Amino acid sequence: NAGVTQTPKFRVLKTGQSMTLLCAQDMNHEYMYWYRQDPGMGLRLIHYSVGEGTTAKGEVPDGYNVSRLKKQNFLLGLESAAPSQTSVYFCASSYWQNNEQFFGPGTRLTVL
Amino acid sequence: KNQVEQSPQSLIILEGKNCTLQCNYTVSPFSNLRWYKQDTGRGPVSLTIMTFSENTKSNGRYTATLDADTKQSSLHITASQLSDSASYICVVSGNAGNNRKLIWGLGTSLAVNP
């Protein structure tokens, strides 16, 4: 099993550009999450999903959108990238809402 | 305010030595406490999950303790190895263990030198 995978691993954007980060899990987990990790701050939840076709806002959702059309995939979109969105983005999944979370390897995004 | 504080911020030890990392929290109500290991450039990996009724839990050379009365936890690493060099993050859940309500600490950066 690959676990949780993320693409791309690295990306550089110019302010105003858009992009989509893809997360895929092969563990048949119901819950999926998108986090960002910034220096001097703990991981912060952006959006999450409690099942196929559902999405919900986390702690820092502004400037991001998500979709969960298939159970195994969770997409994070940036419609108009800003320098404040420069960060490392992690996707995670869990079988249920209070179970252990499994994390992907991360996507390092730089917005110039 | 719900907070998780870890100490020390960073630590350097020699291979083969033991070390203990600390975590203090003010999250209330408390449901569970987790320790994660994060290697540089990688995602966090779960080491232990402890509920309020568990005082200690081990995972190989890693042993976590929890005192829910004083709201303190520690992670003890025995016979350290070079591969233990990583950031160790304490995470507390304050809402029925819900993953949507996790409070993440900033981590302790551990370097194990030969």
Side-chain angles (χ1 to χ4, degrees):
Chain A
N1 290 345
V4 180
T5 58
Q6 294 181 231
T7 54
K9 288 184 171 55
F10 303 93
R11 186 72 185 269
V12 178
L13 291 179
K14 294 181 179 179
T15 297
Q17 287 185 319
S18 63
M19 77 163 295
T20 300
L21 283 67
L22 172 64
C23 174
Q25 53 94 5
D26 61 2
M27 297 173 282
N28 200 36
H29 285 170
E30 291 293 333
Y31 283 66
M32 297 188 74
Y33 316 81
W34 275 107
Y35 289 91
R36 59 178 291 173
Q37 186 173 38
D38 301 293
M41 304 187 77
L43 267 72
R44 291 182 292 170
L45 183 64
I46 304 171
H47 285 281
Y48 63 95
S49 168
V50 303
E52 180 178 319
T54 74
T55 64
K57 295 179 179 180
E59 181 185 354
V60 288
D62 294 342
Y64 305 95
N65 56 75
V66 287
S67 64
R68 183 114 180 255
L69 298 179
K70 294 182 179 180
K71 186 177 183 178
Q72 63 268 33
N73 296 336
F74 195 28
L75 279 62
L76 178 70
L78 286 73
E79 292 185 346
S80 180
S84 60
Q85 295 178 303
T86 293
S87 186
V88 180
Y89 292 86
F90 288 102
C91 176
S93 71
S94 65
Y95 181 72
W96 201 239
Q97 65 178 5
N98 57 355
N99 290 133
E100 174 186 3
Q101 289 180 302
F102 293 82
F103 283 81
T107 295
R108 184 174 296 275
L109 174 66
T110 301
V111 183
L112 301 175
Chain B
K1 180 179 180 182
N2 290 329
Q3 286 186 316
V4 174
E5 296 184 350
Q6 296 186 240
S7 62
Q9 186 175 12
S10 61
L11 181 63
I12 301 173
I13 62 174
L14 292 176
E15 186 179 11
K17 297 297 185 181
N18 303 336
C19 69
T20 300
L21 314 180
Q22 300 291 342
C23 174
N24 296 337
Y25 62 92
T26 59
V27 179
S28 182
F30 169 83
S31 180
N32 64 57
L33 184 145
R34 313 168 187 204
W35 283 95
Y36 280 87
K37 177 187 179 188
Q38 185 175 20
D39 293 319
T40 301
R42 307 288 291 273
V45 175
S46 178
L47 294 176
T48 65
I49 299 178
M50 302 176 69
T51 64
F52 70 91
S53 62
E54 297 176 292
N55 299 117
T56 184
K57 203 163 192 178
S58 293
N59 178 0
R61 294 179 296 102
Y62 301 102
T63 299
T65 65
L66 173 64
D67 186 334
D69 291 332
T70 62
K71 298 187 177 182
Q72 296 179 326
S73 176
S74 66
L75 180 68
H76 185 76
I77 303 175
T78 304
S80 61
Q81 300 177 358
L82 297 179
S83 59
D84 292 332
S85 295
S87 178
Y88 291 84
I89 308 174
C90 177
V91 189
V92 179
S93 175
N95 185 11
N98 195 319
N99 286 341
R100 291 167 275 174
K101 299 292 185 182
L102 299 179
I103 310 298
W104 291 74
L106 298 184
T108 291
S109 179
L110 174 66
V112 180
N113 290 341

